[in-house]
Amino acid sequence: MNRLTGIHAVREALEASQPLDSLIVAKGSHGNRIEELVRLARQHGVPVRFEERIQLDRTAGTREHQGVVAIVAASPTARFEDLLKPRDPEAPGLLVLLDGVEDPQNLGAIVRTSLAAGAQGVVIPERRAAGLTDSVARASAGALAHLPVARVTNLSRAMEEMKEAGYWLVGLDERAEKRHTEVDFKIPVGIVLGGEGKGLHALVRERCDFLVSIPMLGKVPSLNVSVAAAVVLYEIVRQRRVKAVPSSTK
Amino acid sequence: MNRLTGIHAVREALEASQPLDSLIVAKGSHGNRIEELVRLARQHGVPVRFEERIQLDRTAGTREHQGVVAIVAASPTARFEDLLKPRDPEAPGLLVLLDGVEDPQNLGAIVRTSLAAGAQGVVIPERRAAGLTDSVARASAGALAHLPVARVTNLSRAMEEMKEAGYWLVGLDERAEKRHTEVDFKIPVGIVLGGEGKGLHALVRERCDFLVSIPMLGKVPSLNVSVAAAVVLYEIVRQRRVKAVPSSTK
């Protein structure tokens, strides 16, 4: 995990628009220079959170942090608005929305599969979600450098904007009676996946146009979220029969 | 990782047919009692390997191991012959064969998805493969307790036996021109997957009746092996339209 410590280093990074995953401020820190950093971070869309000083010492790896630590992102965050256009102008749009996936391994795996399946991006909330750290980049096997990920303050508001842009929202919910193979995916869609073991939040679930489930034939109650994402994404690829990029010949 | 150290403890476990993942013997150890253990292990189908004594000290967590350490399996190994019968008598057989998947996370994830997709078991080779350890059990989210896994000395020989039992073998190979959706999966099938980043061994590839690839639409050369397994397994579920186990109502 790359991090920047101290007011000067963090301000320079913010002013240079360096991709930052988050800014952490020690609780009880105050003063004009700290307040300016917080304002600057919010202006650049960098999530700010407050932590006890002792916890910050650990994150910083030093006590010489002047109350501020910035976590460097492995990849720049994309603007949500820029993600609404399909990557391939001949294919309907495809976005993956994650409602609180907290494990960097899962986020990385989902980014990798989303890119392979032709999605134009992934949307994650600022809070209760894994950030775009080095672990995510590693787990994505390099895909994070090629697929834009946008962080939004409010996932259900972003879903409303997608609907206005012509998207249909399909949420994965193990209690749904409709199977994931029973939806017509030849229209622009956003696939909405809940966090590990928690499923979708009520507000997010209500915003979905359809809820679908993946059939479970054995004694396991659910699939891993990155596996569930892959199963739905490749059902979309099958239905759309998109041309694959030319692969090396046999 | 549970382990047994010392000649007496290991012999007792072998004689009681306790599920063991492997027997490790210090290089240069000899004597009748060690030779008897090795013979007993082979008789029970427990893989035996030889390691430098200093490495064995580390695995054992003690130097008082008398040259032998047995790794306790998190799950008993199944007999390959017992796996050939489909779990659901009304559905065609479905087995997953792994040609050298070495990462316990991936093996666990594949066991979990195989159970969910209605496979009757997983087949792995004794060598160059993750054993049935606690990490695999954890990564399987409990599925390892419900799905039999068989270890075979020779994977291509096991494939021949499957063919004689009426199975068709479908290997995943990124260079194949046929897509995974272009195969008729309503017949008994064995899905053959290669190890991380290495693909199928030549001998195993030759034994397959079909080779198929999963289309890649983005700038990633391949999918994670557990994701690839999920995509193919759920294409089989879709084609077979097997009835799901009744889920809780909405």
Side-chain angles (χ1 to χ4, degrees):
Chain A
M1 190 167 65
N2 282 325
R3 31 189 156 36
L4 300 170
T5 53
I7 292 175
H8 183 67
V10 173
R11 194 181 50 230
E12 276 210 331
L14 282 167
E15 284 173 348
S17 297
Q18 193 183 332
L20 295 181
D21 176 71
S22 50
L23 173 67
I24 317 174
V25 179
K27 281 184 185 165
S29 292
H30 44 78
N32 287 346
R33 297 204 299 162
I34 297 263
E35 276 163 32
E36 195 206 328
L37 278 192
V38 170
R39 200 178 39 74
L40 215 50
R42 292 202 167 126
Q43 203 173 300
H44 283 79
V46 175
V48 179
R49 56 175 204 272
F50 296 85
E51 283 184 2
E52 297 300 340
R53 187 167 287 268
I54 192 165
Q55 206 177 329
L56 203 65
D57 292 348
R58 215 174 297 133
T59 310
T62 168
R63 299 177 69 175
E64 311 295 314
H65 47 61
Q66 299 176 295
V68 285
V69 178
I71 310 293
V72 178
S75 161
T77 321
R79 268 164 37 100
F80 171 63
E81 292 70 25
D82 296 339
L83 286 194
L84 294 173
K85 261 205 310 197
R87 209 162 50 146
D88 173 355
E90 310 215 337
L94 176 56
L95 281 175
V96 178
L97 288 79
L98 303 180
D99 181 19
V101 169
E102 293 181 7
D103 177 6
Q105 286 292 328
N106 282 336
L107 178 55
I110 291 171
V111 168
R112 181 177 180 183
T113 311
S114 298
L115 180 61
Q120 76 257 25
V122 171
V123 182
I124 58 176
E126 275 181 12
R127 285 161 188 284
R128 297 187 321 267
L132 300 184
T133 54
D134 289 346
S135 335
V136 176
R138 263 196 307 279
S140 83
L144 189 59
H146 299 287
L147 191 77
V149 177
R151 301 179 79 171
V152 295
T153 320
N154 186 319
L155 197 65
S156 56
R157 202 186 305 143
M159 290 168 78
E160 284 305 320
E161 285 178 48
M162 284 180 69
K163 283 185 190 181
E164 280 163 30
Y167 280 79
W168 290 75
L169 295 165
V170 181
L172 214 67
D173 184 332
E174 57 192 41
R175 294 168 300 176
E177 279 164 35
K178 206 185 187 73
R179 286 196 182 188
H180 72 288
T181 45
E182 290 168 1
V183 173
D184 178 1
F185 285 119
K186 293 190 199 96
I187 48 175
V189 283
I191 301 300
V192 194
L193 299 156
E196 297 88 1
K198 296 189 304 282
L200 300 171
H201 288 95
L203 256 177
V204 168
R205 187 190 289 115
E206 283 162 23
R207 288 280 184 289
C208 291
D209 296 297
F210 303 108
L211 293 175
V212 298
S213 62
I214 296 175
M216 293 292 134
L217 310 174
K219 284 175 191 152
V220 267
S222 70
L223 293 172
N224 169 282
V225 62
S226 73
V227 162
V231 169
V232 177
L233 284 166
Y234 270 93
E235 170 62 12
I236 298 174
V237 173
R238 188 191 68 81
Q239 285 192 22
R240 293 185 177 178
R241 292 177 204 284
V242 206
K243 283 203 195 87
V245 288
S247 62
S248 59
T249 48
K250 211 167 172 180
Chain B
M1 188 170 65
N2 283 324
R3 30 188 157 39
L4 300 169
T5 52
I7 291 175
H8 183 67
V10 173
R11 194 180 50 227
E12 275 208 333
L14 282 167
E15 284 173 348
S17 297
Q18 195 183 334
L20 296 181
D21 176 70
S22 50
L23 173 66
I24 318 174
V25 179
K27 280 183 186 169
S29 293
H30 44 78
N32 287 345
R33 298 204 300 161
I34 298 262
E35 276 163 33
E36 196 205 327
L37 279 191
V38 170
R39 201 178 39 75
L40 214 50
R42 292 202 167 126
Q43 202 174 303
H44 283 78
V46 176
V48 179
R49 58 175 202 272
F50 297 85
E51 283 184 2
E52 297 299 338
R53 187 168 288 268
I54 193 164
Q55 205 177 331
L56 203 66
D57 293 348
R58 216 175 295 133
T59 310
T62 168
R63 299 178 67 176
E64 311 295 312
H65 48 62
Q66 300 177 295
V68 286
V69 178
I71 309 294
V72 178
S75 161
T77 322
R79 268 164 38 99
F80 170 65
E81 292 70 26
D82 297 339
L83 286 194
L84 294 174
K85 259 206 309 198
R87 209 162 49 147
D88 173 355
E90 309 214 339
L94 176 55
L95 281 176
V96 178
L97 287 78
L98 303 180
D99 182 18
V101 169
E102 292 182 7
D103 176 7
Q105 289 291 328
N106 282 337
L107 178 56
I110 292 172
V111 167
R112 182 176 180 185
T113 311
S114 299
L115 179 61
Q120 76 257 24
V122 171
V123 182
I124 57 176
E126 275 181 12
R127 285 164 188 280
R128 294 186 321 267
L132 300 183
T133 55
D134 290 347
S135 337
V136 175
R138 265 196 308 281
S140 84
L144 190 59
H146 299 288
L147 191 77
V149 177
R151 301 180 81 170
V152 294
T153 321
N154 185 319
L155 197 63
S156 57
R157 201 186 305 144
M159 290 168 79
E160 285 304 319
E161 285 178 48
M162 285 181 69
K163 284 187 189 181
E164 279 163 30
Y167 280 79
W168 290 75
L169 296 166
V170 181
L172 214 66
D173 184 331
E174 56 192 42
R175 293 169 300 175
E177 279 163 35
K178 206 185 188 75
R179 286 195 181 188
H180 72 288
T181 45
E182 290 168 1
V183 173
D184 177 2
F185 284 120
K186 293 190 198 99
I187 48 174
V189 282
I191 301 300
V192 193
L193 300 155
E196 299 88 2
K198 296 189 306 280
L200 301 170
H201 287 95
L203 255 176
V204 168
R205 187 189 289 118
E206 282 163 23
R207 289 280 186 288
C208 291
D209 296 298
F210 303 109
L211 293 175
V212 298
S213 63
I214 296 174
M216 293 292 134
L217 311 173
K219 281 174 193 154
V220 268
S222 71
L223 294 171
N224 168 282
V225 62
S226 73
V227 162
V231 168
V232 176
L233 283 167
Y234 270 93
E235 170 63 12
I236 298 175
V237 172
R238 188 191 68 80
Q239 285 193 21
R240 293 185 177 180
R241 294 175 199 284
V242 207
K243 282 202 196 89
V245 288
S247 62
S248 56
T249 47
K250 216 168 169 179

